[in-house]
Amino acid sequence: MNKSELIDSIAQNSGLTKTDSAKALDAFINSVSTALKSGSDVRLVGFGTFATSKRAATTAINPRTRQTVKVPARNVAKFKAGKTLQAVVNSK
């Protein structure tokens, strides 16, 4: 499912217009991004948790040139699914 399909699904399930659904989805994405950027977690009970973790600096090897490359430390976004979401995904 891509973004436009998700907007269509939100509009159909909520009774909102596609324009309002797009605004709601964009607001959600912006809110989660802002929270993660500030170092906060976003916990949606039953759905899951969006969080960040730190990845340490390391060295890698460029496969074409066989030269070592320094990979800087950075923060990465992670999502951990909640129990309810896991149950829905695993039900038949």
Side-chain angles (χ1 to χ4, degrees):
M1 176 181 285
N2 61 31
K3 187 174 180 179
S4 64
E5 292 170 342
L6 181 57
I7 290 169
D8 291 341
S9 178
I10 291 170
Q12 185 178 20
N13 290 324
S14 68
L16 296 172
T17 64
K18 287 184 182 182
T19 304
D20 289 339
S21 297
K23 288 179 184 178
L25 180 60
D26 289 339
F28 173 76
I29 292 170
N30 187 32
S31 297
V32 171
S33 299
T34 302
L36 293 178
K37 186 175 181 180
S38 70
S40 300
D41 293 349
V42 178
R43 297 167 198 247
L44 303 172
V45 176
F47 184 72
T49 302
F50 296 92
T52 58
S53 66
K54 295 182 181 185
R55 184 172 290 169
T58 186
T59 56
I61 297 175
N62 183 334
R64 287 189 182 180
T65 63
R66 301 284 183 207
Q67 294 178 340
T68 58
V69 179
K70 292 183 181 180
V71 179
R74 64 185 185 145
N75 293 328
V76 292
K78 293 189 174 189
F79 176 76
K80 182 178 179 186
K83 288 183 181 181
T84 305
L85 179 60
Q86 283 291 347
V88 170
V89 171
N90 289 315
S91 67
K92 292 183 181 182

Coordinates of all heavy atoms in Angstrom, one line a residue:
M1 N 0.9 -1.2 0.0 CA 0.0 0.0 0.0 C 0.9 1.2 0.0 O 1.8 1.4 0.8 CB -0.9 0.0 1.3 CG -1.8 1.2 1.4 SD -2.8 1.2 2.9 CE -4.1 0.1 2.4
N2 N 0.7 2.1 -0.9 CA 1.4 3.4 -1.0 C 0.6 4.5 -0.3 O -0.5 4.3 0.2 CB 1.8 3.7 -2.4 CG 0.6 3.9 -3.3 OD1 -0.4 4.4 -2.9 ND2 0.8 3.6 -4.6
K3 N 1.2 5.7 -0.3 CA 0.5 6.8 0.5 C -0.9 7.1 -0.1 O -1.8 7.3 0.7 CB 1.4 8.0 0.4 CG 0.9 9.2 1.3 CD 1.9 10.3 1.3 CE 1.4 11.4 2.2 NZ 2.3 12.5 2.3
S4 N -1.0 7.2 -1.4 CA -2.3 7.5 -1.9 C -3.4 6.5 -1.6 O -4.5 6.8 -1.4 CB -2.2 7.8 -3.4 OG -1.9 6.7 -4.1
E5 N -3.0 5.2 -1.7 CA -3.9 4.1 -1.3 C -4.3 4.2 0.2 O -5.4 3.9 0.6 CB -3.3 2.8 -1.6 CG -3.1 2.5 -3.1 CD -2.3 1.3 -3.4 OE1 -1.5 0.8 -2.5 OE2 -2.4 0.8 -4.6
L6 N -3.3 4.6 1.0 CA -3.6 4.7 2.4 C -4.5 5.9 2.7 O -5.5 5.8 3.5 CB -2.3 5.0 3.2 CG -2.4 5.1 4.7 CD1 -3.1 3.9 5.4 CD2 -1.0 5.4 5.4
I7 N -4.4 7.0 2.0 CA -5.3 8.1 2.1 C -6.7 7.7 1.6 O -7.7 8.0 2.3 CB -4.8 9.3 1.2 CG1 -3.5 9.9 1.9 CG2 -5.9 10.4 1.1 CD1 -2.8 10.9 1.0
D8 N -6.8 6.9 0.6 CA -8.1 6.4 0.1 C -8.8 5.6 1.2 O -10.0 5.7 1.5 CB -8.0 5.6 -1.2 CG -7.6 6.5 -2.4 OD1 -7.8 7.8 -2.3 OD2 -7.1 6.0 -3.4
S9 N -8.0 4.7 1.8 CA -8.5 3.8 2.8 C -8.9 4.6 4.1 O -10.0 4.3 4.6 CB -7.4 2.8 3.2 OG -7.9 2.0 4.3
I10 N -8.2 5.6 4.5 CA -8.6 6.4 5.6 C -9.9 7.1 5.3 O -10.8 7.2 6.1 CB -7.4 7.4 6.0 CG1 -6.2 6.7 6.5 CG2 -7.9 8.5 7.0 CD1 -5.0 7.5 6.7
A11 N -10.0 7.7 4.1 CA -11.2 8.4 3.7 C -12.4 7.5 3.7 O -13.5 7.9 4.2 CB -11.0 9.0 2.3
Q12 N -12.2 6.3 3.2 CA -13.3 5.3 3.2 C -13.8 4.9 4.6 O -14.9 4.8 4.9 CB -12.9 4.1 2.3 CG -14.1 3.1 2.1 CD -13.6 2.0 1.2 OE1 -12.4 1.7 1.1 NE2 -14.6 1.3 0.6
N13 N -12.8 4.6 5.5 CA -13.1 4.1 6.8 C -13.6 5.2 7.8 O -14.2 4.8 8.7 CB -11.9 3.4 7.4 CG -11.6 2.1 6.6 OD1 -12.5 1.4 6.2 ND2 -10.3 1.7 6.5
S14 N -13.2 6.4 7.5 CA -13.5 7.5 8.5 C -14.7 8.4 8.1 O -15.2 9.1 8.9 CB -12.3 8.3 8.8 OG -11.9 9.1 7.6
G15 N -15.0 8.4 6.8 CA -16.0 9.3 6.3 C -15.5 10.6 6.0 O -16.2 11.5 5.6
L16 N -14.2 10.8 6.1 CA -13.6 12.1 5.8 C -13.4 12.2 4.3 O -13.3 11.2 3.6 CB -12.2 12.3 6.5 CG -12.2 12.3 8.0 CD1 -10.7 12.3 8.5 CD2 -12.8 13.6 8.5
T17 N -13.2 13.4 3.8 CA -12.8 13.6 2.4 C -11.4 13.1 2.2 O -10.6 13.0 3.1 CB -13.0 15.0 1.9 OG1 -12.0 15.8 2.6 CG2 -14.4 15.5 2.2
K18 N -11.0 12.9 0.9 CA -9.6 12.5 0.6 C -8.7 13.7 1.0 O -7.6 13.4 1.5 CB -9.5 12.2 -0.8 CG -10.1 10.9 -1.2 CD -9.8 10.5 -2.6 CE -10.4 9.2 -3.0 NZ -10.2 8.8 -4.3
T19 N -9.1 14.9 0.8 CA -8.3 16.1 1.2 C -8.0 16.1 2.7 O -6.9 16.3 3.1 CB -8.9 17.4 0.7 OG1 -9.2 17.3 -0.7 CG2 -8.0 18.6 1.0
D20 N -9.1 15.9 3.5 CA -9.0 15.9 4.9 C -8.1 14.7 5.4 O -7.4 14.8 6.3 CB -10.3 15.9 5.6 CG -11.1 17.2 5.4 OD1 -10.4 18.3 5.2 OD2 -12.3 17.2 5.6
S21 N -8.3 13.6 4.7 CA -7.5 12.4 5.1 C -6.1 12.6 4.8 O -5.2 12.2 5.6 CB -8.0 11.2 4.3 OG -9.4 10.9 4.7
A22 N -5.7 13.3 3.7 CA -4.3 13.6 3.4 C -3.7 14.5 4.4 O -2.6 14.3 4.8 CB -4.2 14.2 2.0
K23 N -4.5 15.5 4.8 CA -4.1 16.5 5.8 C -3.8 15.8 7.2 O -2.8 16.0 7.9 CB -5.1 17.6 6.0 CG -5.1 18.6 4.9 CD -6.2 19.7 5.2 CE -6.3 20.6 4.0 NZ -7.3 21.6 4.3
A24 N -4.7 14.8 7.5 CA -4.6 14.1 8.8 C -3.3 13.2 8.7 O -2.6 13.1 9.7 CB -5.8 13.3 9.0
L25 N -3.1 12.5 7.6 CA -1.9 11.6 7.5 C -0.7 12.5 7.5 O 0.3 12.1 8.2 CB -2.0 10.8 6.2 CG -0.8 9.9 6.0 CD1 -0.7 8.9 7.1 CD2 -1.0 9.2 4.7
D26 N -0.6 13.6 6.8 CA 0.6 14.5 6.8 C 0.8 15.0 8.2 O 2.0 15.1 8.6 CB 0.4 15.6 5.8 CG 0.5 15.1 4.4 OD1 1.0 14.0 4.1 OD2 0.0 15.9 3.5
A27 N -0.2 15.4 9.0 CA -0.1 15.9 10.3 C 0.5 14.8 11.2 O 1.4 15.0 12.1 CB -1.4 16.4 10.9
F28 N 0.0 13.5 11.1 CA 0.5 12.4 11.8 C 2.0 12.2 11.6 O 2.8 12.0 12.5 CB -0.3 11.1 11.5 CG 0.3 9.9 12.2 CD1 0.1 9.7 13.5 CD2 1.0 9.0 11.4 CE1 0.6 8.5 14.1 CE2 1.5 7.9 12.0 CZ 1.3 7.6 13.4
I29 N 2.4 12.1 10.3 CA 3.8 11.9 9.9 C 4.6 13.0 10.5 O 5.7 12.8 11.0 CB 3.9 11.8 8.4 CG1 3.2 10.5 7.9 CG2 5.4 11.8 8.0 CD1 3.1 10.4 6.4
N30 N 4.2 14.3 10.4 CA 4.9 15.4 10.9 C 5.1 15.4 12.4 O 6.2 15.6 12.9 CB 4.3 16.7 10.4 CG 5.1 17.9 10.8 OD1 6.3 17.9 10.8 ND2 4.4 19.0 11.1
S31 N 4.0 15.0 13.1 CA 4.1 14.9 14.5 C 5.1 13.8 15.0 O 5.8 14.0 15.9 CB 2.7 14.7 15.1 OG 1.8 15.7 14.8
V32 N 5.0 12.7 14.4 CA 5.9 11.6 14.7 C 7.3 11.9 14.4 O 8.2 11.7 15.2 CB 5.5 10.3 14.0 CG1 6.6 9.2 14.2 CG2 4.1 9.8 14.5
S33 N 7.6 12.5 13.3 CA 8.9 13.0 12.9 C 9.5 14.0 13.8 O 10.7 13.9 14.2 CB 8.9 13.5 11.5 OG 8.5 12.6 10.5
T34 N 8.7 15.0 14.2 CA 9.1 16.0 15.2 C 9.5 15.4 16.5 O 10.5 15.7 17.1 CB 8.1 17.1 15.3 OG1 7.8 17.6 14.0 CG2 8.5 18.2 16.2
A35 N 8.6 14.5 17.0 CA 8.9 13.8 18.3 C 10.2 13.0 18.2 O 11.0 13.1 19.2 CB 7.7 13.0 18.7
L36 N 10.4 12.3 17.2 CA 11.6 11.5 17.1 C 12.8 12.3 17.0 O 13.9 12.0 17.5 CB 11.5 10.5 15.9 CG 10.5 9.4 16.0 CD1 10.4 8.6 14.7 CD2 10.7 8.5 17.2
K37 N 12.7 13.4 16.2 CA 13.8 14.3 16.1 C 14.3 14.9 17.4 O 15.4 15.1 17.7 CB 13.5 15.5 15.1 CG 14.7 16.4 14.8 CD 14.3 17.4 13.7 CE 15.5 18.2 13.4 NZ 15.2 19.2 12.4
S38 N 13.3 15.2 18.3 CA 13.6 15.7 19.6 C 14.0 14.7 20.6 O 14.4 15.0 21.8 CB 12.4 16.5 20.2 OG 11.3 15.6 20.5
G39 N 14.0 13.4 20.2 CA 14.5 12.3 21.1 C 13.4 11.7 21.9 O 13.6 10.8 22.7
S40 N 12.1 12.0 21.6 CA 11.0 11.4 22.3 C 10.5 10.1 21.6 O 10.7 10.0 20.4 CB 9.8 12.4 22.4 OG 10.2 13.5 23.1
D41 N 9.9 9.3 22.3 CA 9.2 8.1 21.7 C 7.8 8.4 21.5 O 7.2 9.2 22.2 CB 9.3 6.9 22.7 CG 10.7 6.4 22.9 OD1 11.6 6.8 22.2 OD2 10.9 5.6 23.8
V42 N 7.2 7.7 20.5 CA 5.7 7.8 20.3 C 5.1 6.5 20.5 O 5.4 5.5 19.8 CB 5.5 8.3 18.8 CG1 4.0 8.4 18.6 CG2 6.1 9.7 18.6
R43 N 4.3 6.4 21.5 CA 3.7 5.1 21.9 C 2.2 5.1 21.6 O 1.5 5.9 22.2 CB 3.9 4.8 23.4 CG 5.4 4.6 23.7 CD 5.6 4.7 25.2 NE 7.0 5.0 25.4 CZ 7.9 4.1 25.9 NH1 7.5 2.9 26.3 NH2 9.2 4.5 26.1
L44 N 1.8 4.2 20.8 CA 0.4 4.0 20.4 C -0.1 2.7 20.9 O 0.3 1.6 20.4 CB 0.2 4.2 18.9 CG 0.7 5.4 18.3 CD1 0.6 5.4 16.8 CD2 -0.1 6.6 18.8
V45 N -0.8 2.7 22.1 CA -1.1 1.4 22.7 C -1.9 0.5 21.8 O -2.9 1.0 21.1 CB -2.0 1.7 24.0 CG1 -2.4 0.5 24.7 CG2 -1.2 2.6 25.0
G46 N -1.5 -0.7 21.7 CA -2.1 -1.7 20.8 C -1.6 -1.7 19.4 O -1.7 -2.6 18.7
F47 N -0.9 -0.5 19.0 CA -0.4 -0.5 17.6 C 1.1 -0.7 17.6 O 1.6 -1.6 17.0 CB -0.7 0.9 17.0 CG -0.3 1.0 15.6 CD1 -0.9 0.3 14.5 CD2 0.8 1.8 15.2 CE1 -0.5 0.4 13.2 CE2 1.2 1.9 13.9 CZ 0.6 1.2 12.9
G48 N 1.8 0.2 18.4 CA 3.3 0.0 18.4 C 4.0 1.3 18.9 O 3.3 2.2 19.3
T49 N 5.3 1.2 18.9 CA 6.1 2.3 19.4 C 7.1 2.7 18.4 O 7.8 1.9 17.8 CB 6.9 1.9 20.7 OG1 5.9 1.5 21.7 CG2 7.7 3.0 21.3
F50 N 7.2 4.0 18.1 CA 8.2 4.6 17.3 C 9.3 5.2 18.2 O 9.0 5.9 19.2 CB 7.6 5.8 16.4 CG 6.6 5.4 15.4 CD1 5.2 5.4 15.8 CD2 6.9 5.0 14.2 CE1 4.3 5.0 14.9 CE2 6.0 4.6 13.2 CZ 4.6 4.6 13.6
A51 N 10.5 4.8 17.9 CA 11.6 5.3 18.8 C 12.9 5.5 18.0 O 12.9 5.1 16.8 CB 11.9 4.3 19.9
T52 N 13.9 6.1 18.6 CA 15.2 6.3 17.9 C 16.2 5.5 18.7 O 16.1 5.3 19.9 CB 15.6 7.7 17.8 OG1 15.6 8.3 19.1 CG2 14.6 8.5 16.9
S53 N 17.3 5.1 18.1 CA 18.4 4.5 18.7 C 19.7 5.0 18.1 O 19.6 5.5 16.9 CB 18.4 3.0 18.7 OG 18.5 2.5 17.4
K54 N 20.8 5.0 18.8 CA 22.0 5.5 18.3 C 22.8 4.3 17.6 O 23.0 3.3 18.2 CB 22.8 6.1 19.4 CG 22.2 7.4 19.9 CD 23.0 8.0 21.0 CE 22.2 9.3 21.4 NZ 22.9 10.1 22.4
R55 N 23.3 4.6 16.4 CA 24.1 3.6 15.8 C 25.6 4.1 15.9 O 25.8 5.3 15.5 CB 23.7 3.4 14.3 CG 24.5 2.3 13.6 CD 24.0 2.0 12.2 NE 22.7 1.3 12.4 CZ 21.8 1.1 11.4 NH1 22.1 1.6 10.2 NH2 20.7 0.5 11.6
A56 N 26.5 3.3 16.4 CA 27.8 3.7 16.6 C 28.6 3.9 15.2 O 28.2 3.3 14.2 CB 28.6 2.7 17.4
A57 N 29.6 4.7 15.2 CA 30.5 4.9 14.1 C 31.2 3.6 13.8 O 31.6 2.8 14.7 CB 31.5 6.0 14.3
T58 N 31.4 3.3 12.5 CA 32.1 2.0 12.2 C 32.9 2.2 10.9 O 32.8 3.3 10.3 CB 31.1 0.9 12.1 OG1 31.8 -0.3 11.8 CG2 30.1 1.1 10.9
T59 N 33.6 1.2 10.5 CA 34.3 1.3 9.2 C 33.7 0.2 8.3 O 33.3 -0.9 8.8 CB 35.8 1.1 9.3 OG1 36.0 -0.2 10.0 CG2 36.4 2.2 10.1
A60 N 33.6 0.5 7.0 CA 33.1 -0.5 6.1 C 34.0 -0.6 4.9 O 34.9 0.2 4.8 CB 31.7 0.0 5.6
I61 N 33.8 -1.5 4.1 CA 34.7 -1.7 2.9 C 33.9 -1.5 1.6 O 32.8 -2.1 1.5 CB 35.3 -3.1 2.9 CG1 36.2 -3.3 4.1 CG2 36.1 -3.4 1.6 CD1 36.8 -4.7 4.2
N62 N 34.3 -0.6 0.8 CA 33.7 -0.4 -0.5 C 34.0 -1.6 -1.4 O 35.1 -1.9 -1.7 CB 34.3 0.9 -1.2 CG 33.6 1.3 -2.4 OD1 33.1 0.4 -3.1 ND2 33.6 2.5 -2.8
P63 N 32.9 -2.3 -1.8 CA 33.2 -3.5 -2.6 C 33.8 -3.3 -3.9 O 34.5 -4.2 -4.4 CB 31.8 -4.2 -2.7 CG 30.8 -3.1 -2.4 CD 31.5 -2.1 -1.6
R64 N 33.7 -2.2 -4.5 CA 34.3 -1.9 -5.8 C 35.8 -1.6 -5.7 O 36.6 -2.1 -6.5 CB 33.6 -0.7 -6.5 CG 32.3 -1.1 -7.1 CD 31.8 0.1 -7.9 NE 30.4 -0.2 -8.4 CZ 29.7 0.5 -9.1 NH1 30.2 1.7 -9.5 NH2 28.5 0.2 -9.5
T65 N 36.1 -0.8 -4.8 CA 37.5 -0.3 -4.7 C 38.3 -1.1 -3.6 O 39.5 -0.9 -3.5 CB 37.6 1.2 -4.4 OG1 37.0 1.4 -3.1 CG2 36.9 2.0 -5.5
R66 N 37.6 -1.8 -2.7 CA 38.2 -2.5 -1.6 C 38.9 -1.5 -0.6 O 39.7 -1.9 0.2 CB 39.3 -3.5 -2.0 CG 38.7 -4.6 -2.9 CD 37.9 -5.6 -2.2 NE 37.5 -6.6 -3.1 CZ 36.5 -7.4 -2.9 NH1 35.7 -7.2 -1.8 NH2 36.1 -8.3 -3.7
Q67 N 38.5 -0.3 -0.6 CA 39.0 0.7 0.3 C 38.1 0.8 1.5 O 36.9 0.6 1.4 CB 39.1 2.1 -0.3 CG 40.1 2.2 -1.4 CD 40.2 3.6 -2.0 OE1 39.2 4.3 -1.9 NE2 41.2 3.9 -2.7
T68 N 38.7 1.1 2.7 CA 37.9 1.2 3.9 C 37.2 2.6 3.9 O 37.9 3.6 3.5 CB 38.7 1.0 5.2 OG1 39.7 1.9 5.2 CG2 39.2 -0.4 5.2
V69 N 36.0 2.7 4.4 CA 35.3 3.9 4.4 C 34.8 4.1 5.9 O 34.3 3.1 6.5 CB 34.1 3.9 3.5 CG1 33.3 5.2 3.5 CG2 34.5 3.6 2.1
K70 N 34.9 5.3 6.4 CA 34.4 5.5 7.7 C 32.9 5.9 7.6 O 32.5 6.8 6.9 CB 35.1 6.7 8.4 CG 36.6 6.4 8.7 CD 37.2 7.5 9.4 CE 38.7 7.2 9.7 NZ 39.4 8.3 10.4
V71 N 32.1 5.2 8.4 CA 30.7 5.4 8.5 C 30.4 6.1 9.8 O 30.7 5.6 10.9 CB 29.9 4.1 8.4 CG1 28.4 4.4 8.5 CG2 30.2 3.3 7.2
P72 N 29.9 7.4 9.7 CA 29.7 8.2 11.0 C 28.6 7.6 11.8 O 27.7 6.9 11.4 CB 29.4 9.6 10.5 CG 28.8 9.3 9.1 CD 29.5 8.1 8.6
A73 N 28.7 8.0 13.1 CA 27.6 7.6 14.0 C 26.3 8.4 13.6 O 26.4 9.5 13.1 CB 28.0 8.0 15.5
R74 N 25.2 7.8 13.9 CA 23.9 8.5 13.6 C 22.8 7.9 14.4 O 22.9 6.8 14.9 CB 23.6 8.4 12.1 CG 23.4 7.0 11.6 CD 23.2 7.0 10.1 NE 22.9 5.6 9.7 CZ 22.0 5.4 8.7 NH1 21.5 6.4 8.0 NH2 21.8 4.1 8.4
N75 N 21.7 8.6 14.4 CA 20.4 8.1 15.0 C 19.6 7.4 13.9 O 19.5 7.9 12.8 CB 19.6 9.3 15.6 CG 20.4 9.9 16.8 OD1 21.1 9.2 17.5 ND2 20.2 11.2 17.0
V76 N 18.9 6.3 14.3 CA 18.1 5.6 13.4 C 16.7 5.5 14.0 O 16.5 5.3 15.2 CB 18.6 4.2 13.0 CG1 19.9 4.4 12.2 CG2 18.9 3.4 14.2
A77 N 15.7 5.6 13.1 CA 14.3 5.4 13.6 C 13.9 3.9 13.6 O 14.3 3.2 12.7 CB 13.3 6.2 12.6
K78 N 13.2 3.5 14.6 CA 12.8 2.1 14.7 C 11.3 2.1 15.1 O 10.8 3.0 15.7 CB 13.6 1.4 15.8 CG 15.0 1.3 15.5 CD 15.7 0.4 16.4 CE 17.2 0.1 16.0 NZ 17.8 -0.9 16.8
F79 N 10.7 1.0 14.7 CA 9.3 0.7 15.0 C 9.2 -0.7 15.6 O 9.7 -1.6 15.1 CB 8.4 0.8 13.8 CG 6.9 0.5 14.1 CD1 6.1 1.4 14.8 CD2 6.4 -0.7 13.7 CE1 4.8 1.1 15.1 CE2 5.1 -1.1 14.0 CZ 4.3 -0.1 14.7
K80 N 8.5 -0.7 16.8 CA 8.2 -2.0 17.4 C 6.7 -2.2 17.5 O 6.0 -1.4 18.1 CB 8.8 -2.1 18.8 CG 8.6 -3.5 19.4 CD 9.3 -3.5 20.8 CE 9.0 -4.9 21.4 NZ 9.5 -5.1 22.7
A81 N 6.2 -3.3 16.8 CA 4.8 -3.5 16.8 C 4.3 -3.9 18.2 O 4.9 -4.6 18.9 CB 4.5 -4.6 15.8
G82 N 3.1 -3.5 18.5 CA 2.4 -3.8 19.7 C 1.7 -5.2 19.6 O 1.6 -5.8 18.6
K83 N 1.3 -5.7 20.8 CA 0.7 -7.0 20.9 C -0.6 -7.1 20.0 O -0.8 -8.1 19.3 CB 0.4 -7.4 22.3 CG 1.6 -7.7 23.1 CD 1.2 -8.2 24.5 CE 2.5 -8.4 25.3 NZ 2.1 -8.9 26.7
T84 N -1.4 -6.1 20.0 CA -2.6 -6.2 19.3 C -2.4 -6.2 17.8 O -3.0 -7.0 17.0 CB -3.5 -4.9 19.6 OG1 -3.7 -4.9 21.0 CG2 -4.9 -5.0 18.9
L85 N -1.4 -5.4 17.3 CA -1.1 -5.4 15.9 C -0.5 -6.8 15.5 O -0.8 -7.3 14.5 CB -0.1 -4.3 15.6 CG 0.4 -4.2 14.2 CD1 -0.8 -4.0 13.2 CD2 1.4 -3.1 14.0
Q86 N 0.4 -7.3 16.4 CA 0.9 -8.6 16.1 C -0.1 -9.7 16.0 O -0.1 -10.6 15.1 CB 1.9 -9.0 17.2 CG 3.3 -8.4 17.1 CD 4.1 -8.8 15.9 OE1 3.8 -9.8 15.2 NE2 5.1 -8.1 15.6
A87 N -1.1 -9.6 16.9 CA -2.2 -10.6 16.8 C -3.0 -10.5 15.5 O -3.4 -11.5 14.9 CB -3.1 -10.4 18.0
V88 N -3.3 -9.2 15.1 CA -4.0 -9.0 13.8 C -3.2 -9.6 12.6 O -3.8 -10.2 11.8 CB -4.3 -7.5 13.6 CG1 -4.9 -7.3 12.2 CG2 -5.3 -7.1 14.7
V89 N -1.9 -9.3 12.6 CA -1.1 -9.8 11.5 C -1.0 -11.3 11.4 O -1.0 -11.9 10.4 CB 0.3 -9.1 11.6 CG1 1.3 -9.7 10.6 CG2 0.2 -7.6 11.4
N90 N -1.0 -11.9 12.6 CA -0.8 -13.4 12.7 C -2.1 -14.1 12.6 O -2.0 -15.4 12.6 CB 0.0 -13.7 13.9 CG 1.5 -13.3 13.8 OD1 2.1 -13.5 12.7 ND2 2.0 -12.7 14.8
S91 N -3.2 -13.5 12.7 CA -4.5 -14.2 12.6 C -4.8 -14.6 11.2 O -4.4 -14.0 10.2 CB -5.6 -13.4 13.2 OG -5.9 -12.3 12.3
K92 N -5.5 -15.7 11.1 CA -5.8 -16.2 9.7 C -7.3 -16.0 9.4 O -8.2 -15.8 10.0 CB -5.5 -17.7 9.6 CG -4.0 -17.9 9.7 CD -3.7 -19.4 9.5 CE -2.2 -19.6 9.6 NZ -1.8 -20.9 9.4

